[in-house]
Amino acid sequence: MTIQQVLLLLLLWMWLPHPCHTEMLFRRTPDLRSKSFGGRALGSDGKAIHRQKRGWMWNQFFLLEEYTGSDYQYVGKLHSDQDKGDGSLKYILSGDGAGTLFIIDEKTGDIHATRRIDREEKAFYTLRAQAINRRTLRPVEPESEFVIKIHDINDNEPTFPEEVYTASVPEMSVVGTSVVQVTATDADDPSYGNSARIIYSILQGQPYFSVEPETGIIRTALPNMNRENREQYQVVIQAKDMGGQMGGLSGTTTVNITLTDVNDNPPRFPQSTIHLRIPESSPVGTAIGSVKATDADTGKNAEVEYRIIDGDGTDMFDIVTQKDTQEGIITVRKPLDYETRRLYTLKVEAENTHVDPRFYYLGPFKDTIIVKISVEDVDEPPVFSRSSYLFEVHEDIELGTIIGTVMARDPDSASSPIRFSLDRHTDLDRIFNIHSGNGSIYTSKPLDREISQWHNLSVIAAEINNPKDTTRVPVYVRILDVNDNAPQFAVFYDTFVCENARAGQLIQTISAVDKDDPLGGQKFFFSLAAVNPNFTVQDNEDNTARILTRRNGFSRHEISTYLLPVVISDNDYPIQSSTGTLTIRVCACDSRGNMQSCSAEALLLPAGLSTGALVAILLCIIILLVIVVLFAALKRQRKKEPLILSKEDIRDNIVSYNDEGGGEEDTQAFDIGTLRNPAAIEDKKLRRDIIPETLFVPRRTPSAPDNTDVRDFINQRLKEHDTDPSAPPYDSLATYAYEGNDSIAESLSSLESGTTEGDQNYDYLREWGPRFNKLAEMYGGGESDKDTS
């Protein structure tokens, strides 16, 4: 604490009444409650007089905050007029802080504060006091409240809610423009003295800004502050209590002020003239270069729009504003030609798009620059006289006829000879050719419009000195029609005439087609090659004709088929004609003219069956016959050796057919080689119904010679597999070449039933139904025949 503050506190202490040296005086006030004593007294009016109990009216105690003494701070004294000073009364204190913060001497009524009190924590305390008889513990005074109010001292400095403020103000603002308001708070009592009265002042930031002392509003203090010169300012504001007088406490805050941009600067080109170069071969849209005007402003205030306002190349070039870089990109608008013009001059203007009217006085917000563009020479490819060529030629021209000529030149100043060629990918049949020197296209093969009406060629032109630089041009060749095809029947006609036909009867309507396409359209004429006594042709004059009969009655037994030649002619030049022959069959028809049957040939060959179908059927029959002959030949070659080699070697071969077996490698039934040669059985052959303990590596056997008998080949392979224990399935070799011992049940066969001595009656078979009648007749009838004989 400074010396000034100590002196101020001493002055305040002297001015204020000190409670430690004062005794609170109380006066009696009437109490609403009344209490009577031993007897009743009568008044002048004869009524009983009641004694009024007296109560306390407490005033406020005042205590100065932040007491720094070593002893308890004296607050005040409580005293009742019932107190005789003999110690018979006892003072009791209750309420806020009673017994802890505030204590009372129960004999004297003196109240003390036990510690320092901060008014900012609590401004006043409400307590209750009572005087009781120490002996009877009965109150002699009713309980009453009083307040201890804490007097404030200036012990809190003003504080700002933020340590650093951020604010902005447009540049070029007039003096006194409000920037921001800062407000400080003081925890001291604003209603007591000047401890909480705050005055604002500026410590840093002059002479650019000022602050209002009472409100804390910061304003501009200099005119025309330019952001381009200085953009950031730091202002320090002080808030001081005690009305800003000496000895007051203070607090500070920092305000960072930024000048925002306004459009007060026009765009400016860094130079008055710029020179650009571009090759003449640059295509349309190529960027030549860029121009850029600088603007000291930022954001939208620095946005610039570029345009070409004058010059001799306004129609050849264009300029586009690029927003992200604020550059003007100059591009090619039309194809350039070094040989035509080599230098262009443009006048380009840059202008702000957002202009502030307040700053018109600073001058026009635009600037211009002269752009000179030089066109550089390059070796250009040849240029054709046309973008495409169309030639028309008749299909009957002679070979080597020139159908047209293409022309090209070297656009460079040093003209170079041109060589022409055809792209063979567009003329795979090599129907055309071209003279390499003059570009004349001629035919190398005959033309036929009916095969291809259009030919799309591509001609290549290249400089002889620079053959890699080429140019192509499309050439369209249209083949014109010539009447070189005769008309023919439109379809194949299957015509018949009924045996009961009458003269003049329509049997067929015919039409024709022509591959040619005359300009006036097709017109056909129909006639007979010679006079026919049976049929005639009547032209309908609509490119159709009718076939009519000339007589009554036809007989298929006499003539089953008629051939009628019909001549078809067109009307183009030269006139083309052809003869088509109609095959007319004679058929039997009903009364309505519906065909029922024709000649034998017609019956065998269904109507509409083509010659190709007949040939196909015949080929199928031949193939089937060849297959049958081959199978018969193979059967004849595959003759099997009989099982019985001699009359003495008679064996039974018992084969079980109710077992499905294991497939091609299953030899469980029998071994053919063993049956043919019983001596070939090996005693030590491995069993194949179990997996062998040791497996042998299968060995590869040489293939049998081509002339080896099939039976020997099979036996050899069978033997190899029988001796291979690793080959599945693991079957066992069973030989059925001997019958074995007789059965205990003797033979069950019916073959020996005829030798038995007893007769057997088979009549019971007839009782089994009609299916066993035949069997009963065979056995029963035999016995009767034998007896009769």
Side-chain angles (χ1 to χ4, degrees):
M1 186 176 292
T2 61
I3 299 175
Q4 293 84 352
Q5 292 175 340
V6 173
L7 293 176
L8 179 62
L9 291 174
L10 292 176
L11 290 174
L12 289 173
W13 184 264
M14 294 172 62
W15 292 341
L16 295 175
H18 203 288
C20 297
H21 305 283
T22 60
E23 180 178 332
M24 303 302 296
L25 301 178
F26 310 101
R27 66 181 179 84
R28 294 289 180 181
T29 57
D31 192 358
L32 295 179
R33 296 169 296 177
S34 62
K35 186 176 181 181
S36 59
F37 294 90
R40 294 186 178 181
L42 298 177
S44 60
D45 54 358
K47 295 182 180 180
I49 299 176
H50 299 279
R51 180 177 179 272
Q52 299 290 335
K53 181 181 179 181
R54 295 172 295 174
W56 291 341
M57 180 65 182
W58 302 93
N59 292 329
Q60 292 182 346
F61 288 98
F62 293 94
L63 183 65
L64 194 66
E65 70 169 334
E66 301 294 345
Y67 172 70
T68 58
S70 58
D71 298 332
Y72 287 167
Q73 186 179 5
Y74 181 73
V75 178
K77 184 179 181 63
L78 297 179
H79 182 74
S80 174
D81 55 3
Q82 298 293 329
D83 189 359
K84 304 301 182 181
D86 57 358
S88 61
L89 294 183
K90 179 181 179 180
Y91 294 96
I92 299 174
L93 186 66
S94 62
D96 293 342
T100 56
L101 179 59
F102 301 102
I103 57 175
I104 188 171
D105 190 337
E106 60 182 16
K107 294 180 179 180
T108 63
D110 293 333
I111 302 173
H112 290 83
T114 60
R115 60 178 175 83
R116 294 172 56 185
I117 299 177
D118 189 357
R119 190 202 66 83
E120 285 70 37
E121 293 181 0
K122 194 174 178 70
F124 62 90
Y125 296 86
T126 302
L127 294 97
R128 294 181 298 276
Q130 191 177 26
I132 62 174
N133 188 288
R134 186 183 295 273
R135 183 172 58 83
T136 62
L137 299 179
R138 290 183 178 181
V140 297
E141 294 285 355
E143 187 181 52
S144 184
E145 289 186 349
F146 66 95
V147 176
I148 300 177
K149 189 174 182 180
I150 310 302
H151 270 176
D152 183 47
I153 64 172
N154 189 19
D155 58 344
N156 291 280
E157 70 276 2
T159 59
F160 290 93
E162 297 182 17
E163 294 183 1
V164 178
Y165 288 84
T166 301
S168 62
V169 63
E171 64 173 334
M172 308 296 291
S173 297
V174 297
V175 176
T177 301
S178 175
V179 180
V180 68
Q181 182 178 12
V182 294
T183 303
T185 58
D186 197 322
D188 294 326
D189 188 2
S191 62
Y192 183 77
N194 292 327
S195 298
R197 184 187 174 197
I198 299 174
I199 298 297
Y200 299 94
S201 61
I202 184 169
L203 300 182
Q204 178 182 328
Q206 295 174 332
Y208 306 103
F209 299 95
S210 62
V211 64
E212 292 183 357
E214 301 291 338
T215 61
I217 298 176
I218 302 174
R219 300 182 182 274
T220 57
L222 284 181
N224 299 328
M225 287 191 294
N226 197 341
R227 183 197 65 84
E228 288 72 34
N229 296 332
R230 183 177 177 182
E231 184 176 5
Q232 299 289 338
Y233 294 87
Q234 190 176 71
V235 178
V236 178
I237 301 297
Q238 182 189 61
K240 191 173 184 181
D241 58 11
M242 297 300 294
Q245 299 177 5
M246 183 178 296
L249 303 179
S250 64
T252 59
T253 187
T254 302
V255 182
N256 293 324
I257 302 176
T258 303
L259 295 183
T260 57
D261 185 58
V262 297
N263 192 7
D264 59 340
N265 294 280
R268 290 289 179 263
F269 284 105
Q271 54 197 36
S272 60
T273 305
I274 186 174
H275 198 97
L276 302 175
R277 297 180 181 274
I278 184 172
E280 62 174 334
S281 60
S282 300
V284 174
T286 302
I288 305 173
S290 63
V291 294
K292 185 175 183 180
T294 59
D295 194 326
D297 298 321
T298 60
K300 68 176 184 178
N301 297 319
E303 292 181 0
V304 178
E305 188 72 27
Y306 298 91
R307 56 179 173 269
I308 300 174
I309 60 175
D310 198 5
D312 53 11
T314 56
D315 60 336
M316 299 297 296
F317 303 95
D318 205 349
I319 190 167
V320 179
T321 302
Q322 198 162 2
K323 297 297 183 182
D324 53 348
T325 61
Q326 289 299 308
E327 291 180 328
I329 309 299
I330 302 175
T331 59
V332 179
R333 188 175 181 181
K334 293 182 179 179
L336 302 175
D337 188 5
Y338 173 81
E339 288 71 27
T340 303
R341 187 160 192 168
R342 305 181 181 182
L343 181 64
Y344 294 90
T345 302
L346 303 176
K347 187 176 183 181
V348 178
E349 180 185 72
E351 183 180 10
N352 280 138
T353 57
H354 300 84
V355 181
D356 194 338
R358 296 178 300 170
F359 304 103
Y360 279 154
Y361 67 91
L362 296 177
F365 284 81
K366 62 178 67 176
D367 196 11
T368 58
I369 188 174
I370 301 299
V371 180
K372 294 184 178 181
I373 302 174
S374 297
V375 181
E376 298 179 344
D377 187 27
V378 296
D379 190 4
E380 299 176 89
V383 177
F384 284 95
S385 60
R386 301 180 190 174
S387 58
S388 63
Y389 293 86
L390 172 63
F391 301 135
E392 293 183 345
V393 60
H394 287 87
E395 60 179 327
D396 60 345
I397 62 174
E398 298 180 357
L399 296 181
T401 302
I402 295 176
I403 63 173
T405 302
V406 297
M407 300 179 64
R409 64 177 180 85
D410 184 7
D412 298 324
S413 56
S415 181
S416 175
I418 306 298
R419 182 184 297 276
F420 300 94
S421 62
L422 274 177
D423 186 355
R424 288 303 175 186
H425 292 89
T426 61
D427 185 26
L428 297 176
D429 296 331
R430 295 183 175 269
I431 300 176
F432 301 95
N433 212 335
I434 189 171
H435 291 288
S436 60
N438 57 18
S440 298
I441 301 174
Y442 59 92
T443 59
S444 58
K445 287 185 180 180
L447 303 177
D448 191 351
R449 189 198 68 87
E450 286 69 38
I451 296 177
S452 179
Q453 187 175 356
W454 286 91
H455 295 274
N456 300 326
L457 308 177
S458 180
V459 176
I460 303 172
E463 296 180 13
I464 296 179
N465 298 332
N466 186 14
K468 294 183 179 179
D469 206 355
T470 62
T471 306
R472 293 171 176 265
V473 67
V475 177
Y476 307 104
V477 181
R478 180 182 181 184
I479 310 301
L480 301 179
D481 185 37
V482 174
N483 192 23
D484 57 348
N485 291 279
Q488 297 176 349
F489 282 133
V491 294
F492 173 77
Y493 295 103
D494 184 17
T495 308
F496 70 93
V497 61
C498 295
E499 289 182 315
N500 56 359
R502 296 183 179 275
Q505 184 175 343
L506 174 64
I507 63 172
Q508 185 70 59
T509 300
I510 60 175
S511 62
V513 293
D514 194 337
K515 294 181 180 179
D516 296 322
D517 189 15
L519 297 177
Q522 299 285 3
K523 178 62 178 176
F524 302 122
F525 301 97
F526 300 89
S527 62
L528 293 179
V531 177
N532 191 293
N534 302 311
F535 306 98
T536 184
V537 174
Q538 184 177 351
D539 197 334
N540 296 328
E541 297 183 359
D542 60 353
N543 292 340
T544 63
R546 297 184 295 171
I547 308 298
L548 305 176
T549 59
R550 296 189 64 181
R551 64 183 178 86
N552 296 331
F554 292 88
S555 176
R556 58 175 172 166
H557 299 290
E558 297 177 0
I559 300 177
S560 61
T561 304
Y562 292 92
L563 299 179
L564 181 64
V566 179
V567 178
I568 310 172
S569 305
D570 57 19
N571 67 335
D572 205 357
Y573 180 83
I575 296 176
Q576 300 287 341
S577 63
S578 65
T579 301
T581 302
L582 283 176
T583 301
I584 305 174
R585 296 179 298 152
V586 180
C587 301
C589 302
D590 57 13
S591 59
R592 297 182 180 179
N594 297 324
M595 182 183 65
Q596 291 181 342
S597 63
C598 295
S599 61
E601 181 181 359
L603 293 175
L604 291 174
L605 300 178
L609 197 60
S610 62
T611 305
L614 294 175
V615 173
I617 293 173
L618 184 58
L619 288 176
C620 291
I621 294 173
I622 294 174
I623 291 172
L624 289 174
L625 291 175
V626 171
I627 293 173
V628 170
V629 172
L630 289 176
F631 271 103
L634 289 175
K635 277 190 173 184
R636 204 173 284 115
Q637 290 181 0
R638 295 173 59 186
K639 292 181 179 179
K640 295 184 178 180
E641 185 179 357
L643 284 175
I644 302 176
L645 299 178
S646 63
K647 294 181 180 180
E648 292 77 15
D649 191 6
I650 299 175
R651 306 176 188 180
D652 290 337
N653 185 14
I654 302 173
V655 181
S656 176
Y657 294 97
N658 59 355
D659 187 8
E660 189 171 323
E664 294 179 357
E665 296 182 1
D666 187 5
T667 58
Q668 182 178 359
F670 56 85
D671 186 356
I672 297 177
T674 305
L675 293 178
R676 293 175 178 171
N677 188 8
I681 301 177
E682 298 179 5
D683 297 333
K684 297 182 180 180
K685 183 176 294 186
L686 296 175
R687 295 186 61 185
R688 304 187 65 189
D689 55 347
I690 59 174
I691 301 176
E693 295 180 357
T694 59
L695 297 178
F696 298 94
V697 178
R699 61 181 184 276
R700 298 176 59 91
T701 58
S703 60
D706 296 338
N707 57 355
T708 304
D709 188 71
V710 175
R711 183 185 60 216
D712 297 335
F713 175 79
I714 293 175
N715 291 334
Q716 181 183 354
R717 288 290 183 266
L718 184 59
K719 183 178 179 180
E720 292 173 358
H721 285 285
D722 288 341
T723 58
D724 187 3
S726 62
Y730 303 103
D731 302 330
S732 61
L733 179 64
T735 303
Y736 300 94
Y738 59 94
E739 275 189 5
N741 297 328
D742 296 337
S743 174
I744 300 175
E746 297 182 351
S747 177
L748 300 178
S749 175
S750 62
L751 297 177
E752 298 179 356
S753 60
T755 60
T756 58
E757 297 178 356
D759 296 333
Q760 188 172 0
N761 187 9
Y762 294 95
D763 292 338
Y764 64 90
L765 295 175
R766 300 181 185 274
E767 300 174 0
W768 289 4
R771 295 185 179 180
F772 296 89
N773 290 340
K774 186 66 176 176
L775 189 60
E777 291 175 1
M778 289 175 60
Y779 287 94
E783 294 295 329
S784 61
D785 293 340
K786 184 177 180 181
D787 294 338
T788 57
S789 61

